[in-house]
Amino acid sequence: MADRIKVLLTEEEVDKRICEIADEVNKDYGMKPLHLICILKGGVFFTCELAKHLKMPVTMDFMAVSSYGAGTVSSGVVRIIKDLDEPIDGKDVLIVEDIIDTGRTLAYLIEVLKGRHPKSIHLCTLLNKPERRVKKQVHVDYTCFEIPDQFVVGFGLDYDQKYRNLPYIGVVEV
Ligand code: IMP
Ligand code: MG
């Protein structure tokens, strides 16, 4: 049977907010070239929508990661499943992620990427669940929406690989 999904953020709300965040990025970077790093798979819808509204010269690369650890508790060590195609040294980098939950993935990833000597590195997320944060050092520069501790799907986010294609953000009702 199909799961019931309750809408948390409508398509209009999400699209409008992404435009606002793109304006902020445009203001902050001006016409300096910006290198977007999309975290697969969840970040892909947000990255594309954001990129369409950016005015500076934009390049994009993709990285896929998974949490690596025994059982259900993430160890905080992240396995890189697909690395970047291009070096990032000397580039202004903006990491684009679907959601920051515990912060473990990004805490690790930011350290790895900083070691490759980008000119600057900032973090942009569609959703942020601050209540769940374990890694307090993860600084989020751009957040579209802060949400409560609920499991959400849509706009790239999945439940068992499903629902990534929903144009809105919803909560799966169990
Ligand atoms: P973190 O390392 O705990 O911050 O985990 C972040 C990753 O967990 C995200 O990139 C998502 O892939 C996944 N995740 C966390 N919360 C949700 C959710 O509510 N829905 C779908 N995926 C989630
Ligand atoms: Mg993710």
Side-chain angles (χ1 to χ4, degrees), residues 24 35 38 42 45 82 108 112 117 120 162:
E24 276 186 40
H35 191 61
C38 168
F45 286 71
K82 185 223 167 285
Y108 177 81
V112 169
H117 310 294
S120 69
K162 293 182 292 185

Side-chain angles (χ1 to χ4, degrees), residues 81-107:
I81 295 168
K82 185 223 167 285
D83 206 340
L84 299 173
D85 292 335
E86 311 280 342
I88 57 169
D89 55 293
K91 293 181 183 169
D92 287 306
V93 165
L94 185 62
I95 302 174
V96 188
E97 176 60 307
D98 53 358
I99 188 164
I100 317 288
D101 187 29
T102 63
R104 287 192 174 106
T105 308
L106 262 297

